């Protein structure tokens, strides 16, 4: 190609080795093929290039605009407007107003045909029109395939449809009063709009597996006590209590006991008084069940939900503090290397031998033919096909992939000094290169931690940074790769 392609450099460093002169600064998309890096394309005739690029861009944009249908242009405009913060806040206000109107109607219970009833009917017609308009707006923005993958849209469509049918013709649905009560569930849509409510919703959903385990244990314990209760207090016993006549009635009686709804005075004492003799069986049965279920197992469920909520709240707080510190100190959240997903996995090694084994496994995955040499193309294809099933892009829900370019290989191989004459990389050289990447990854994370640390943890982080720096300096002054093939010479020992 024309000109020379140079790698980007950190903002706090000066370019001393060369003067780029007139050049193009090419910014790439964060999380995309080039991992958000910046490239410089230098050329003496830069102004002509810029003029031609702008001209071709306008021509291409005009062709795309002409080919694009009116519906697609309208859809793009509506998507941008619908996702605006002002639009979301406006519909959130309408949802709250509708919620309070439903509460007032349920409290006042206006007579049919009265002035109050007419006011609530007008309000319902206004809110139904607004939400129907929003439903059509949302349908256009989601059209076509996304529309069938949006369960919230279909739930809202059902509520709006019932409201429209009730407003048009009340005798169409029979018991309209019951169906119109569904309107109150519109308030649940706020859970998808407000971040604080999202935390609560996600906490409940993420704690469901452990809660289900606890509830299963509670059902088993209740079933055991129900069977014992049918045999001890049922029709075939001396107590002949109707509360334990069948298994189903016994389970309902035990559920009432869990709610603390007069289980002692209304159930246990009644069973004991009907027998006309003091009996310890009833007391032992109900007291042990109540202590086990209410004092132990129910508290366990509450603890699971509370623990999950506190954990997610803490994570959200840390994310907000980290974003604020990033903005304050001018630190980029973007990855500085396409190998970031792989490095995030490798940093969890337990000892040097474990790291060697992990690196050997990665090398084997990149060299399925067992040739013992990795060419640049092997790394590009191999890194891209590595299965990172646990690593998701924030907010995207898709698997992260490594996009490795020729320029990345040049930096990875330390200017091809870790390659043989045929540009191949052996296992040992691959390990050295990966240790260099781990060392750089550690330095970046340490710098980020130092910038975002509070006053209490700052001395500890700074001491760790100085310790790592001393270890690097003691590695015979060879930089990230020491003479013994380790990071800093001794870091992984």
């Amino acid at each position: 190609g024309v000109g020379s392609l140079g790698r980007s450099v950190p903002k706090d460093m000066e370019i001393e080795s060369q003067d780029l002169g007139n050049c193009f600064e090419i910014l790439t998309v964060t999380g995309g093929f080039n991992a958000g890096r910046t490239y410089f394309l230098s050329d003496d005739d830069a102004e002509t290039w810029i003029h031609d690029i702008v001209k071709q861009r306008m021509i291409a944009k005009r062709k795309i605009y002409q080919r694009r249908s009116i519906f697609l242009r309208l859809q793009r405009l509506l998507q941008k407007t619908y996702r605006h913060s002002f639009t979301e806040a406006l519909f959130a206000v309408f949802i709250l107003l509708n919620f309070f109107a439903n509460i007032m109607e349920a409290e006042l219970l206006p007579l049919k045909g009265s002035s109050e009833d007419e006011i609530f009917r007008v309000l319902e017609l206004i809110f139904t029109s607004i939400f129907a308009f929003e439903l059509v707006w949302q349908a256009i923005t989601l059209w076509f395939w996304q529309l069938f993958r949006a369960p919230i849209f279909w739930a809202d469509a059902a509520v709006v449809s019932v409201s429209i049918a009730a407003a048009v013709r009340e005798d169409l649905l029979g018991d309209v009063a019951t169906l119109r009560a569904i309107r109150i569930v519109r308030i649940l849509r706020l859970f998808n709009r407000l971040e604080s409510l999202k935390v609560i919703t996600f906490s409940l959903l993420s704690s469901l597996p452990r809660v289900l385990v606890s509830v299963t244990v509670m059902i088993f314990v209740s079933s055991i006590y129900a069977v014992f209760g049918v045999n001890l207090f049922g029709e075939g016993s001396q107590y002949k209590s109707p509360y334990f006549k069948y298994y189903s009635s016994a389970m309902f009686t035990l559920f009432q006991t869990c709610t603390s709804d007069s289980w002692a005075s209304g159930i246990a004492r009644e069973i004991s008084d009907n027998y006309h003799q003091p009996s310890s069986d009833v007391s032992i049965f109900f007291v042990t069940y109540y202590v086990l279920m209410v004092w132990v197992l129910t508290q366990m469920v509450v603890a699971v939900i509370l623990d999950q909520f506190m954990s997610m709240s803490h994570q959200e707080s840390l994310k907000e503090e980290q974003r604020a510190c990033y903005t304050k100190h001018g630190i980029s959240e973007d990855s500085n290397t396409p190998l970031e997903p792989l490095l995030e996995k490798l940093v969890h090694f337990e000892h040097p031998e474990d790291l060697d084994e992990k690196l050997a496994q990665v090398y084997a995955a990149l060299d399925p033919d067992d040739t013992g040499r990795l060419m640049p193309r092997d790394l590009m294809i191999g890194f891209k096909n590595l299965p990172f099933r646990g690593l998701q892009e924030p907010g995207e829900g898709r698997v992260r992939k490594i996009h490795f370019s020729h320029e990345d290989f040049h930096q990875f191989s330390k200017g091809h000094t870790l390659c043989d004459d045929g540009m191949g990389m052996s296992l040992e050289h691959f390990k050295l290169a990966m240790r260099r990447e781990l060392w750089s990854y550690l330095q970046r994370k340490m710098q980020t931690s130092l910038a975002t640390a509070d006053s209490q943890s700052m001395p500890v982080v700074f001491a760790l940074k100085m310790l790592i720096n001393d270890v690097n300096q003691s590695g015979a002054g060879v930089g990230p790769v020491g003479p013994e093939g380790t990071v800093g010479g001794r870091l992984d020992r």
Side-chain angles (χ1 to χ4, degrees):
V2 180
S4 61
L5 189 63
R7 288 302 303 270
S8 63
V9 295
K11 294 181 179 179
D12 57 347
M13 294 179 60
E14 296 182 356
I15 303 177
E16 300 179 354
S17 60
Q18 58 177 339
D19 183 11
L20 294 178
N22 295 327
C23 66
F24 296 100
E25 184 180 8
I26 303 175
L27 305 177
T28 59
V29 179
T30 302
F33 190 87
N34 291 281
R37 289 163 294 179
T38 305
Y39 296 92
F40 294 96
L41 182 64
S42 62
D43 189 89
D44 294 334
D45 199 14
E47 295 183 0
T48 303
W49 275 75
I50 294 175
H51 179 269
D52 293 340
I53 290 175
V54 172
K55 182 179 179 181
Q56 294 300 321
R57 177 179 177 272
M58 295 300 297
I59 295 174
K61 188 175 181 180
R62 192 178 300 111
K63 290 181 179 179
I64 294 175
Y65 186 82
Q66 292 173 352
R67 290 197 303 264
R68 184 176 295 166
S69 64
I70 298 178
F71 175 78
L72 292 179
R73 278 181 277 168
L74 177 63
Q75 183 185 41
R76 185 174 181 180
L77 177 62
L78 292 178
Q79 285 176 349
K80 184 178 180 180
T81 310
Y82 184 78
R83 294 169 184 172
H84 196 274
S85 58
F86 175 79
T87 307
E88 292 184 350
L90 181 62
F91 283 113
V93 171
F94 285 138
I95 292 173
L96 286 175
L97 292 176
N98 179 64
F99 179 69
F100 291 126
N102 291 333
I103 293 177
M104 291 296 297
E105 185 180 6
E107 175 64 24
L108 298 177
L109 293 177
L111 296 176
K112 188 174 182 179
S114 63
S115 58
E116 292 84 359
D117 182 60
E118 291 299 325
I119 292 175
F120 284 113
R121 285 179 177 275
V122 171
L123 289 177
E124 174 60 23
L125 184 61
I126 293 174
F127 286 125
T128 300
S129 302
I130 292 174
F131 293 130
F133 170 74
E134 187 209 5
L135 191 69
V136 175
W137 190 351
Q138 188 178 6
I140 296 175
T141 59
L142 295 176
W143 191 268
F144 178 70
W145 294 112
Q146 292 182 358
L147 191 65
F148 298 96
R149 297 195 296 264
I152 297 179
F153 170 82
W154 293 108
D156 191 45
V159 176
V160 173
S161 300
V162 171
S163 300
I164 294 176
V168 173
R169 186 176 177 184
E170 291 192 358
D171 59 345
L172 185 64
L173 299 176
D175 190 5
V176 176
T178 303
L179 294 176
R180 287 175 63 184
I182 301 177
R183 299 171 300 174
I184 198 70
V185 302
R186 288 193 186 121
I187 193 66
L188 298 179
R189 296 178 56 195
L190 289 180
F191 285 77
N192 195 41
R193 294 179 181 269
L194 301 179
E195 291 297 330
S196 56
L197 295 180
K198 277 185 179 181
V199 173
I200 298 176
T201 306
F202 292 153
S203 300
L204 292 175
L205 294 177
S206 59
S207 62
L208 278 181
R210 289 190 293 174
V211 169
L212 290 177
V213 172
S214 302
V215 171
T216 303
V217 174
M218 295 174 69
I219 293 175
F220 286 156
V221 172
S222 297
S223 298
I224 293 173
Y225 270 84
V227 173
F228 273 112
V230 170
N231 288 276
L232 290 176
F233 312 121
E235 293 294 332
S237 67
Q238 55 190 357
Y239 297 96
K240 300 185 182 301
S241 172
Y243 297 112
F244 291 91
K245 187 175 182 180
Y246 304 106
Y247 169 80
S248 56
S249 59
M251 286 292 289
F252 185 78
T253 301
L254 294 177
F255 176 76
Q256 181 180 349
T257 304
C258 290
T259 61
S260 302
D261 179 22
S262 65
W263 64 272
S265 59
I267 300 177
R269 292 187 185 278
E270 182 179 342
I271 295 175
S272 180
D273 293 344
N274 290 339
Y275 185 54
H276 302 295
Q277 291 184 10
S279 176
S280 60
D281 297 345
V282 179
S283 301
I284 294 175
F285 179 86
F286 280 97
V287 170
T288 55
Y289 178 77
Y290 186 84
V291 170
L292 184 60
M293 292 294 293
V294 179
W295 290 5
V296 179
L297 294 180
T298 304
Q299 303 303 322
M300 184 185 303
V301 175
V302 175
V304 168
I305 298 176
L306 184 61
D307 176 69
Q308 190 66 30
F309 174 74
M310 295 298 294
S311 176
M312 292 200 66
S313 299
H314 181 65
Q315 291 177 6
E316 290 297 324
S317 322
L318 290 179
K319 288 180 180 179
E320 290 297 328
E321 292 178 2
Q322 192 175 48
R323 292 191 193 102
C325 290
Y326 281 152
T327 305
K328 179 179 178 181
H329 297 278
I331 299 175
S332 175
E333 299 183 62
D334 303 336
S335 169
N336 290 325
T337 173
L339 299 180
E340 192 88 4
L342 178 59
L343 299 177
E344 289 177 358
K345 289 285 188 179
L346 293 177
V347 292
H348 299 290
F349 66 91
E350 299 178 358
H351 44 78
E353 290 75 15
D354 183 39
L355 177 60
D356 280 339
E357 182 179 352
K358 291 180 182 296
L359 293 177
Q361 292 175 357
V362 174
Y363 188 88
L366 299 176
D367 185 25
D369 297 331
D370 197 20
T371 60
R373 295 173 71 249
L374 286 178
M375 304 300 292
R377 181 173 178 80
D378 297 331
L379 290 173
M380 296 176 194
I381 298 176
F383 278 136
K384 187 176 182 179
N385 294 331
L386 286 179
F388 295 101
R389 293 304 176 205
L391 298 171
Q392 302 290 332
E393 288 283 0
E396 293 295 333
R398 58 186 176 89
V399 178
R400 297 170 66 180
K401 289 188 177 183
I402 295 177
H403 300 286
F404 202 74
S405 64
H406 285 281
E407 195 173 35
D408 295 322
F409 179 78
H410 179 81
Q411 183 181 10
F412 181 72
S413 61
K414 202 177 179 182
H416 301 162
T417 58
L418 296 179
C419 301
D420 54 25
D421 296 336
M423 296 293 290
M425 181 175 285
S426 64
L427 174 60
E428 294 303 320
H429 286 159
F430 177 78
K431 290 182 179 180
L432 293 180
M434 287 303 302
R435 287 193 174 96
R436 288 182 66 247
E437 294 293 333
L438 283 170
W439 173 253
S440 300
Y441 177 81
L442 174 62
Q443 287 181 318
R444 292 194 303 273
K445 291 299 181 182
M446 186 64 67
Q447 179 63 26
T448 302
S449 301
L450 189 61
T452 58
D454 53 26
S455 58
Q456 295 181 349
S457 58
M458 174 75 74
V460 177
V461 178
F462 181 72
L464 288 174
K465 182 176 181 180
M466 294 301 297
L467 178 61
I468 293 174
N469 183 68
D470 292 340
V471 172
N472 185 33
Q473 293 295 330
S474 64
V478 294
V481 180
E484 301 176 16
T486 62
V487 178
R490 304 175 186 177
L491 185 59
D492 65 350
R493 289 190 176 273

